[in-house]
């Protein structure tokens, strides 16, 4: 009865989440579900990404159900299933997806994902006419959302993806904690951070007291490596407490003296259905080379899944609500194949629907950190990057116990 006069009464909208999770996916699902319900849609959740549309399907009803949008991860669960043929799985599973679309009588599909999940959805829209709307997500923050950041009068192409703000806060806090143990032992700690292709998340460690940084955008060749060691030595010697936390992206390409090549460090030889390998372990190599080259004690800390873990933070909560408001606009206009994005990098009070727009959701592509944000000659993040982060995180947050005890002379 409640829904009879509503615009989309009798229609069904389904939501799925694919790819690596983030702390903001449940918040996105809740925000989209609430708005779609108000428009009159029945709202379904498809379990485990595209996998939930294979075989007999795995679909749940989210309409009028309690939902905890603060809870991290995704209650719809996730997978890296690709319905299109891939090297790992050459058979097309698109007919299964189409059959389930019919069986469950789905009218619109919202896909929460990165380039892979949303790229597959866009292909389904173009080749099969399935009405889809994309919703961005990644802690790596490398989906090209075309969000403009204005710094000192210059417009810089930045990125703002749900999931990144929560992950950024976690990495800021984690770095601030690690700093105290680095201080106690006068050590360098090399902090490895997720980021296969881009250093957006790695840079967030600077807000927790991290110094310098290595990112996948710039190869560390043999020559660059020498300069890097010199820079580390200088930064260590100038540090008040003789310690450093150096953030390093998992996907950096580092010169290997044994092979004479610049390459990434793989965690496993497996690739997923979109052809992505798994990286991991480069921090151990960087730390041991710092120790042997500079004679300074260095250790590695892999932050691993920590930035993906835990609850949705305040900025992400508002960001997901705002982008879900734009989904309403797209639904009302029946504009499919689109993805809502923020037009500008703004502090959280300005996260409002009038600051959004939408872009083509297919092959959005990867947006590396530009030279506006990272200075390769100093291996460090720039003031423009701090300003970008300041919009999202506010001020850097780390404790600093500035002791200066008088020395006792016997
Ligand atoms: O979501 C992207 C990402 O966070 C990458 O930075 C990382 O390499 C990857 O996920 C690892 O995810 P998983 O181990 O879950 O496949």
């Amino acid at each position: 009865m409640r829904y009879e006069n509503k615009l989309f009464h009798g229609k069904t909208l389904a939501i799925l989440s694919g790819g690596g999770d983030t702390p903001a996916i449940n918040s996105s699902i809740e925000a989209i579900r609430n708005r779609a319900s108000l428009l009159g849609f029945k709202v379904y959740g498809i379990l485990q990404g595209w996998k939930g549309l294979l075989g007999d399907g795995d679909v749940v009803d989210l309409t009028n159900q309690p939902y905890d949008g603060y809870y991290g991860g995704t209650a719809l669960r996730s997978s890296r299933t690709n319905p299109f043929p891939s090297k790992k799985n050459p058979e097309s599973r698109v007919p299964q997806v189409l059959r389930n679309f019919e069986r469950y009588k789905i009218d619109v599909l919202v896909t929460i994902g990165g380039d892979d999940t949303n790229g597959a959805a866009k292909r389904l829209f173009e080749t099969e006419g399935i009405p889809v709307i994309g919703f961005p997500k990644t802690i790596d923050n490398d989906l090209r959302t075309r969000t403009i950041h204005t710094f000192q009068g210059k417009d810089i192409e930045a990125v703002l993806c749900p999931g990144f703000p929560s992950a950024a806060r976690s990495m800021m806090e984690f770095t601030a904690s690690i700093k105290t143990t680095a201080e106690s032992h006068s050590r360098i700690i090399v902090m490895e951070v997720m980021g296969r292709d881009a250093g957006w998340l790695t840079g967030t460690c600077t807000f927790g007291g991290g110094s310098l940084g290595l990112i996948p955008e710039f190869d560390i060749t043999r020559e660059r490596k020498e300069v890097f060691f010199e820079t580390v030595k200088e930064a260590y010697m100038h540090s008040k407490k003789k310690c450093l936390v150096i953030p390093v992206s998992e996907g950096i390409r580092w010169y290997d003296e044994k092979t004479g090549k610049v390459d990434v460090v793989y965690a496993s030889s497996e690739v997923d259905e979109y052809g992505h390998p798994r990286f991991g372990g480069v921090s151990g190599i960087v730390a041991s080379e710092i120790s042997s080259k500079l004679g300074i004690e260095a250790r590695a800390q892999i932050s691993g899944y920590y930035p993906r873990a835990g609850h949705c933070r305040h900025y992400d909560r508002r960001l997901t609500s705002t982008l879900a408001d734009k989904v309403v606009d797209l639904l009302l206009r029946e504009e499919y194949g689109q993805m809502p994005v923020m037009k500008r990098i703004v502090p959280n009070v300005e996260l409002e629907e009038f600051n959004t727009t939408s872009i083509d959701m297919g092959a959005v592509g990867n947006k590396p950190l530009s030279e506006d944000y990272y200075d390769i000659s100093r291996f460090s993040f720039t003031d423009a990057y701090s300003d970008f982060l300041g919009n999202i995180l506010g001020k850097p947050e780390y404790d600093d116990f500035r002791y200066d005890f008088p020395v006792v002379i016997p």
Side-chain angles (χ1 to χ4, degrees):
M1 289 291 273
R2 280 185 70 200
Y3 293 95
E4 268 171 16
N5 294 327
K6 302 213 171 156
L7 203 55
F8 293 99
H9 172 70
K11 302 245 177 207
T12 300
L13 177 144
I15 306 172
L16 66 77
S17 55
D21 73 345
T22 83
I25 301 182
N26 277 329
S27 185
S28 308
I29 294 168
E30 187 192 24
I32 298 163
R33 189 279 307 260
N34 290 353
R35 285 154 181 78
S37 294
L38 285 170
L39 292 173
F41 282 105
K42 187 191 277 185
V43 184
Y44 288 168
I46 293 163
L47 300 183
Q48 289 185 275
W50 292 111
K51 201 171 183 183
L53 285 173
L54 304 183
D56 286 339
D58 210 353
V59 179
V60 294
D61 192 350
L62 299 178
T63 328
N64 299 334
Q65 295 300 312
Y67 205 98
D68 186 352
Y70 275 106
Y71 192 74
T74 165
L76 294 182
R77 308 208 294 282
S78 190
S79 72
R80 294 189 188 270
T81 307
N82 184 356
F84 289 94
S86 64
K87 253 196 191 152
K88 196 166 180 181
N89 198 341
E91 172 216 1
S92 173
R93 290 171 290 178
V94 170
Q96 297 181 47
V97 171
L98 298 179
R99 202 178 59 240
N100 280 316
F101 231 78
E102 289 282 316
R103 285 181 63 227
Y104 289 96
K105 299 187 175 32
I106 298 167
D107 296 290
V108 184
L109 176 65
V110 179
T111 53
I112 302 173
D115 215 21
D116 297 331
T117 305
N118 289 332
K122 181 70 196 293
R123 257 177 98 179
L124 282 173
F125 170 64
E126 279 170 351
T127 57
E128 311 295 338
I130 295 217
V132 292
I133 291 174
F135 201 87
K137 150 285 19 163
T138 167
I139 62 157
D140 293 4
N141 205 44
D142 57 355
L143 255 191
R144 194 179 278 271
T145 57
R146 299 171 208 277
T147 309
I148 299 302
H149 168 220
T150 306
F151 178 66
Q152 294 180 344
K154 182 179 178 191
D155 283 349
I156 302 170
E157 189 190 337
V159 175
L160 185 54
C161 285
F164 172 72
S166 300
R169 184 153 285 279
S170 293
M171 281 318 302
M172 173 175 81
E173 292 167 359
F174 192 29
T175 309
S177 297
I178 285 292
K179 223 177 128 263
T180 61
T181 173
E183 276 180 29
S184 309
H185 295 271
S186 307
R187 276 177 184 157
I188 292 175
I189 294 191
V190 179
M191 171 76 93
E192 186 168 324
V193 186
M194 275 194 177
R196 267 196 290 239
D197 307 301
W200 296 91
L201 188 59
T202 302
T204 64
C205 298
T206 56
F207 264 41
S211 328
L212 309 178
L214 295 176
I215 60 174
E217 285 83 341
F218 300 96
D219 285 3
I220 310 302
T221 58
R222 189 179 172 178
E223 297 73 34
R224 296 298 312 151
K225 212 160 119 171
E226 293 311 313
V227 185
F228 174 67
F229 289 136
E230 278 307 306
T231 313
V232 170
K233 189 174 169 188
E234 208 181 297
Y236 181 84
M237 296 322 273
H238 281 95
S239 63
K240 277 204 195 83
K241 295 181 184 165
K242 299 288 165 287
C243 73
L244 295 174
V245 178
I246 304 178
V248 166
S249 304
E250 61 175 1
I252 61 160
R253 289 161 49 81
W254 176 258
Y255 176 74
D256 179 340
E257 268 147 40
K258 281 192 211 111
T259 62
K261 286 191 189 137
V262 172
D263 207 355
V264 291
V265 175
Y266 295 93
S268 113
S269 53
E270 270 175 61
V271 289
D272 67 18
E273 290 187 14
Y274 291 91
H276 302 299
R278 259 195 306 126
F279 298 155
V282 74
S283 54
I285 297 170
V286 176
S288 86
E289 289 192 35
I290 287 175
S291 294
S292 61
K293 290 264 165 16
L294 303 180
I296 301 168
E297 217 175 45
R299 296 281 194 273
Q301 172 69 55
I302 300 183
S303 59
Y305 292 91
Y306 187 72
R308 262 167 54 173
H311 65 275
C312 181
R313 309 301 189 108
H314 185 60
Y315 192 98
D316 254 336
R317 191 79 179 138
R318 287 204 54 150
L319 177 61
T320 51
S321 299
T322 305
L323 295 177
D325 288 340
K326 184 64 186 174
V327 170
V328 173
D329 183 42
L330 294 172
L331 287 168
L332 290 171
R333 292 168 192 266
E334 298 186 74
E335 269 185 46
Y336 304 118
Q338 294 283 302
M339 177 169 86
V341 292
M342 295 308 300
K343 279 195 266 198
R344 311 196 72 83
I345 299 294
V346 288
N348 65 34
V349 287
E350 290 176 42
L351 288 167
E352 299 288 358
E353 200 270 338
F354 62 81
N355 271 330
T356 66
T357 183
S358 67
I359 59 171
D360 185 322
M361 69 188 273
V364 171
N366 177 260
K367 173 75 184 89
L369 266 194
S370 66
E371 283 171 22
D372 289 302
Y373 287 146
Y374 182 79
D375 181 350
I376 178 68
S377 68
R378 297 164 60 189
F379 300 94
S380 56
F381 295 86
T382 62
D383 290 348
Y385 192 72
S386 296
D387 188 76
F388 160 81
L389 271 188
N391 278 280
I392 298 165
L393 294 176
K395 289 195 175 74
E397 279 178 26
Y398 52 92
D399 294 337
D400 196 7
F401 173 23
R402 294 173 196 227
Y403 42 83
D404 189 13
F405 307 121
V407 176
V408 177
I409 298 166

